Amino acid sequence: QAKMQGKDRYVVFSNEYKKRNNRYVKLERDLHYALEREQLELYYQPIYNLQTDEVTGFEALIRWNHPDYGLIKPTEFIPITEETGLIIPIGKWIMEEACSKLLILQEELNNNTLTISINVSPIQLLNPSIYDQIVDVIDQTGIRPELISLEITESVVIDEFKHSEALLERIKRLGMKIYVDDFGTGYSSLGYLYQLPLDLIKIDQSFVMMCNEDIKKKKMLKTILNLANEFKMEVIGEGVEKIEEFIELKTLGCKQIQGYYISKPKPINELKQMLAELKLKNEKRTKAV
Ligand code: C2E
Ligand code: MG
Ligand code: MG
Ligand code: MG
């Protein structure tokens, strides 16, 4: 009987595996048309300044509105775009879309200092056309490059150090900012921190989560904040979900945060309302303190 059960379980597992595999194959096929069928959409998550209690900009986060599967997260389909090379045209679209939508937002919100942060994949950075793509986007949209930051992950800089260094220097000369995403995870080498022209460290959520209770995390946060300070880099704390984490980061002197506590990433047409609600929430919190 046990054997039977074991066999059954195997069958179930196998079907599940096939289903997932099928999904992958389908997604891979459908991704080729996603751009032209206008199924890709950028959501925007506010970046919040703890000293001024203001939203200073947004991070663009991609979503795929799939006709059968519904909304698909980037963690599932960005790897497929990287394997197929589709990240190159899609990456260009992301930059164009994010920059042109920022200009619309600035006008709507009557604030021309708002910034946009764009995630770039390692594959994009290694593609010879990336620099020209960036220059094209700036020319086409007329956006001030100072308002754009590119978010890169540590692995890029480690694997192709010399190439990345030269490219990032050129991008910086345009006026754009370079952020290190998910700092403290993955390949952790401190060597690149002082050798590359980095403007800002995004502290990974793993250090932020429960930092109010966990003394070790608090110490890690202090250390990262000191490090950033020594190297004249700014900091954003990622994934702030609770008021206790918000208060802890503020107390530690972290100037900027992102996270569900402020707002989830939203489609562009929901940003105005979100900002209005945020203002009310701020007023309540300030009164309570
Ligand atoms: P990331 O750049 O580190 O983005 C932060 C992720 O954390 C986002 O997930 C965001 O929705 C989520 N997040 C923000 N605040 C909170 C919070 O308080 N709690 C929790 N639990 N999560 C929070 P998302 O949008 O699913 O993106 C996942 C990753 O996919 C991104 O990580 C980034 O590496 C990649 N990605 C997203 N959009 C793009 C894109 O346009 N291009 C590229 N190349 N990669 C992208
Ligand atoms: Mg990011
Ligand atoms: Mg991140
Ligand atoms: Mg991340």
Side-chain angles (χ1 to χ4, degrees):
Q1 239 231 309
K3 211 174 179 183
M4 271 272 288
Q5 254 182 17
K7 205 173 165 194
D8 282 350
R9 229 181 273 139
Y10 173 77
V11 170
V12 169
F13 178 78
S14 164
N15 281 341
E16 194 54 40
Y17 178 78
K18 263 202 211 131
K19 226 194 282 162
R20 239 186 279 155
N21 222 24
N22 244 333
R23 180 171 160 116
Y24 183 96
V25 170
K26 203 160 165 345
L27 291 186
E28 183 178 339
R29 190 192 62 209
D30 295 349
L31 256 180
H32 285 87
Y33 308 102
L35 201 53
E36 63 189 62
R37 293 184 186 167
E38 302 186 348
Q39 294 166 354
L40 300 179
E41 183 178 5
L42 295 184
Y43 278 35
Y44 301 87
Q45 186 179 38
I47 297 173
Y48 186 86
N49 187 312
L50 285 170
Q51 294 186 322
T52 60
D53 276 318
E54 273 169 350
V55 170
T56 56
F58 302 92
E59 176 178 3
L61 294 157
I62 196 164
R63 302 287 182 264
W64 180 11
N65 298 299
H66 191 280
D68 302 330
Y69 298 131
L71 201 73
I72 304 181
K73 291 285 196 80
T75 40
E76 182 171 14
F77 74 87
I78 287 289
I80 309 178
T81 67
E82 291 174 336
E83 279 156 32
T84 53
L86 285 167
I87 190 64
I88 302 306
I90 290 176
K92 171 131 203 249
W93 176 83
I94 292 169
M95 287 195 282
E96 286 165 355
E97 175 74 5
C99 291
S100 54
K101 287 287 154 61
L102 178 69
L103 293 176
I104 293 172
L105 275 173
Q106 288 186 339
E107 198 158 311
E108 237 178 62
L109 301 168
N110 204 13
N111 179 352
N112 63 11
T113 66
L114 289 172
T115 61
I116 189 78
S117 212
I118 301 169
N119 292 285
V120 290
S121 144
I123 309 290
Q124 284 176 274
L125 285 181
L126 295 177
N127 189 279
S129 70
I130 182 76
Y131 183 80
D132 292 338
Q133 279 191 5
I134 292 170
V135 172
D136 279 355
V137 171
I138 294 171
D139 287 348
Q140 280 163 21
T141 55
I143 196 170
R144 279 183 288 148
E146 294 75 18
L147 301 178
I148 313 172
S149 47
L150 299 186
E151 298 194 3
I152 63 172
T153 48
E154 296 179 36
S155 62
V156 188
V157 276
I158 311 285
D159 293 345
E160 293 283 342
F161 190 86
K162 274 291 158 223
H163 169 82
S164 312
E165 187 183 20
L167 175 64
L168 296 182
E169 293 284 359
R170 288 175 80 203
I171 294 173
K172 285 273 309 177
R173 256 178 265 135
L174 294 170
M176 290 166 74
K177 306 261 164 53
I178 311 289
Y179 292 2
V180 179
D181 209 346
D182 306 331
F183 181 78
T185 66
Y187 312 71
S188 272
S189 157
L190 292 176
Y192 64 87
L193 260 193
Y194 64 90
Q195 294 183 63
L196 291 174
L198 306 172
D199 297 284
L200 183 146
I201 290 174
K202 297 190 79 169
I203 305 177
D204 192 71
Q205 186 185 23
S206 52
F207 300 107
V208 169
M209 195 183 279
M210 311 266 283
C211 64
N212 55 303
E213 290 177 16
D214 188 332
I215 186 79
K216 285 185 181 161
K217 287 190 185 176
K218 207 182 288 190
K219 283 185 178 174
M220 282 301 297
L221 284 176
K222 274 191 200 167
T223 306
I224 297 171
L225 287 165
N226 268 330
L227 184 76
N229 193 39
E230 289 290 336
F231 286 96
K232 304 268 180 297
M233 287 184 277
E234 290 183 74
V235 163
I236 295 178
E238 287 194 281
V240 177
E241 291 182 355
K242 298 188 191 151
I243 187 163
E244 291 85 4
E245 295 159 355
F246 174 100
I247 292 170
E248 191 62 53
L249 283 170
K250 193 174 164 133
T251 309
L252 290 173
C254 179
K255 287 183 192 153
Q256 301 181 79
I257 57 164
Q258 275 178 264
Y260 294 172
Y261 178 70
I262 301 299
S263 166
K264 286 193 172 179
K266 304 256 183 195
I268 186 164
N269 60 355
E270 291 175 25
L271 291 183
K272 229 177 167 170
Q273 194 191 340
M274 179 266 288
L275 291 174
E277 284 165 9
L278 188 58
K279 219 171 160 187
L280 286 176
K281 186 171 156 187
N282 271 345
E283 281 162 15
K284 262 199 217 151
R285 192 185 50 242
T286 325
K287 262 189 209 150
V289 172

